[in-house]
Amino acid sequence: MPFLGQDWRSPGWSWIKTEDGWKRCEPWSQELERENNQCNISHSIILNSEDEEIFNNEEHEYASKKRKKDHFRNDTNTQCFYREKWIYVHKESTRERHGYCTLGEAFNRLDFSSAIQDTRRFNYVVRLLQLIAKSQLTSLSGVAQKNYFHILDKIVQKVLSDHQNPRLIKDLLQDLSSTLCILIRGVGKSVLVGNINIWICRLETVLSWQQQLQNLQMTKHVSGGLTLSDLPVHMLNNILYRLSDGWDIVTLGQVTPTLAVLSEDRRLWKKLCQYHFAEKQFCRHLILSEKGHIEWKLMYFALQKYYPTKEQYGDTLHFCRHCSILFWKDRRLALLLEDSGHPCTAADPDSCFTPVSPQHFIDLFKF
């Protein structure tokens, strides 16, 4: 298997073949090798009375492979099957690489499982899963589908435990359940990777998740410390002006009477409309009150139906134009170790980086 590094002639990594395909040996698999070495020692010295070996070489090799397969099969709490945070996006065959990179391969190789634990990357991953659910679900390979629902399961369990961002996940599951219903009803008209019963089980799982989120109750934590209602009015107003989603403002306005008054501020909704939409779009959908004033709050939700809002993320995937590599940029490593997040060979790596939106991520693999 070829490996793209600073020297493409590198010998590459060690790979093993399992029932789910080829997988790269990880550093933590040294325990398996150590176990095999111990078996080799005992295998060479344990003889019966007639000086015949108890296990022959073929039996030992079979047992070794079985242990490795069982290890990978039982390790269901981690994302399959890679630990890198970057992937080379190649769209044609070269002397070093044959074939091209697919959306499913990129979804497998990039570390989305740990990205959802990062608050800055959580919304980005959720939006990406939502776009895949709407239009690209059937383009994923079998392993990528397994990875997709594994990550989705971790997201749902995270929301159920910390009660953060439930509305985003409800929208994602709604789009996913609609897509699954269409695919299952139109079986034969569309290409489904996997047995139809697997897709039915996935739909039942999604419906179960939706029910769990529907029954989610926000618990009130009683503590002797400072609460949101204890903050001064100007600080509460500052918090509202930091929100970029109108539904978040409406939800926050339901917490206290003071926030309800602040969330109805016309200037707040005017700023929000100006941030997301252009002036030409205002003229097409003007909503005036009886006194002749512009109803900015009603205009925001009206414009939202016709035009997409600006997407805002704390952190995104990056694309290196010099290396054609898609990667997660670890800011802490970049500051401490001057590590760009991928094996970049450019003289000035930072000048080659471009943030990648969720839609741009999908467009990279449309050939």
Side-chain angles (χ1 to χ4, degrees):
M1 285 247 177
F3 161 67
L4 179 68
Q6 295 187 3
D7 183 1
W8 62 267
R9 296 164 296 183
S10 169
W13 292 307
S14 299
W15 296 76
I16 62 173
K17 187 175 183 180
T18 69
E19 293 180 350
D20 297 322
W22 287 91
K23 298 178 180 61
R24 186 168 65 84
C25 293
E26 300 289 347
W28 41 263
S29 64
Q30 294 177 356
E31 297 179 359
L32 294 175
E33 296 180 0
R34 192 180 305 113
E35 181 182 354
N36 292 339
N37 293 335
Q38 293 176 355
C39 291
N40 285 334
I41 296 174
S42 61
H43 168 70
S44 60
I45 62 176
I46 298 179
L47 303 175
N48 59 14
S49 58
E50 298 178 356
D51 293 337
E52 293 179 356
E53 294 182 352
I54 296 178
F55 301 104
N56 58 34
N57 291 332
E58 292 182 357
E59 291 174 339
H60 169 67
E61 184 180 356
Y62 173 79
S64 174
K65 289 182 178 179
K66 188 176 184 302
R67 281 195 302 274
K68 291 181 179 180
K69 287 182 178 180
D70 291 341
H71 178 82
F72 283 106
R73 189 181 299 111
N74 295 332
D75 188 15
T76 58
N77 295 324
T78 58
Q79 182 187 6
C80 326
F81 305 108
Y82 300 91
R83 294 290 184 264
E84 296 85 12
K85 296 186 179 182
W86 58 269
I87 184 173
Y88 176 69
V89 181
H90 53 109
K91 299 185 178 181
E92 58 184 6
S93 297
T94 62
R95 292 180 58 186
E96 293 79 21
R97 289 178 174 270
H98 296 283
Y100 56 90
C101 183
T102 63
L103 176 64
E105 183 181 357
F107 192 83
N108 287 336
R109 292 287 296 272
L110 295 169
D111 193 8
F112 290 108
S113 186
S114 63
I116 62 176
Q117 305 300 329
D118 191 331
T119 306
R120 300 169 303 162
R121 298 174 179 175
F122 182 84
N123 290 5
Y124 181 87
V125 177
V126 171
R127 178 58 179 167
L128 179 58
L129 294 182
Q130 189 173 16
L131 290 177
I132 292 176
K134 287 182 177 180
S135 61
Q136 302 296 321
L137 193 61
T138 55
S139 65
L140 297 180
S141 64
V143 176
Q145 291 173 13
K146 178 181 177 182
N147 231 352
Y148 180 95
F149 284 93
H150 173 75
I151 295 172
L152 186 57
D153 180 37
K154 295 185 69 174
I155 290 176
V156 172
Q157 299 308 321
K158 181 178 183 298
V159 173
L160 291 174
S161 62
D162 60 19
H163 297 177
Q164 296 182 13
N165 301 302
R167 182 172 56 81
L168 292 177
I169 312 306
K170 288 180 181 179
D171 293 341
L172 166 59
L173 294 179
Q174 181 61 41
D175 292 335
L176 181 58
S177 61
S178 301
T179 302
L180 290 177
C181 287
I182 294 173
L183 292 176
I184 293 174
R185 289 172 184 172
V187 62
K189 298 179 181 179
S190 59
V191 179
L192 294 180
V193 178
N195 190 282
I196 184 63
N197 294 325
I198 296 178
W199 289 92
I200 294 176
C201 290
R202 288 170 176 170
L203 177 58
E204 293 174 351
T205 303
V206 171
L207 296 177
S208 174
W209 287 337
Q210 286 181 306
Q211 188 62 40
Q212 293 179 44
L213 290 173
Q214 195 67 28
N215 298 332
L216 181 63
Q217 298 291 332
M218 300 295 180
T219 56
K220 183 177 180 180
H221 297 281
V222 180
S223 62
L226 195 67
T227 63
L228 186 65
S229 57
D230 297 327
L231 296 177
V233 175
H234 72 277
M235 294 186 67
L236 295 175
N237 201 38
N238 232 352
I239 293 173
L240 288 169
Y241 271 85
R242 294 294 186 274
L243 300 177
S244 61
D245 192 329
W247 285 110
D248 290 338
I249 296 176
V250 172
T251 304
L252 188 58
Q254 298 173 353
V255 176
T256 63
T258 303
L259 285 170
V261 175
L262 294 175
S263 64
E264 296 294 332
D265 184 14
R266 292 181 64 254
R267 189 177 61 171
L268 170 66
W269 290 99
K270 180 180 178 180
K271 290 279 187 183
L272 195 62
C273 288
Q274 291 175 341
Y275 173 76
H276 286 288
F277 309 106
E279 187 175 351
K280 292 181 179 179
Q281 297 168 345
F282 296 158
C283 301
R284 298 175 184 175
H285 304 277
L286 273 179
I287 301 177
L288 301 178
S289 64
E290 296 179 356
K291 298 180 179 180
H293 299 304
I294 299 176
E295 294 285 355
W296 291 106
K297 181 178 179 179
L298 297 178
M299 275 190 59
Y300 170 81
F301 291 106
L303 291 168
Q304 194 181 37
K305 296 178 181 178
Y306 297 100
Y307 309 104
T309 57
K310 286 185 179 180
E311 296 180 358
Q312 188 178 31
Y313 306 104
D315 193 11
T316 68
L317 284 167
H318 288 72
F319 183 73
C320 180
R321 298 185 301 272
H322 179 268
C323 306
S324 295
I325 285 180
L326 194 64
F327 66 98
W328 289 108
K329 185 177 181 180
D330 195 325
R331 301 184 185 276
R332 290 171 295 182
L333 289 179
L335 292 174
L336 296 176
L337 306 176
E338 297 183 357
D339 184 6
S340 62
H342 75 285
C344 187
T345 58
D348 185 13
D350 290 337
S351 63
C352 305
F353 298 163
T354 303
V356 177
S357 67
Q359 185 59 55
H360 185 200
F361 174 88
I362 294 176
D363 293 339
L364 281 174
F365 304 98
K366 291 182 178 179
F367 308 135

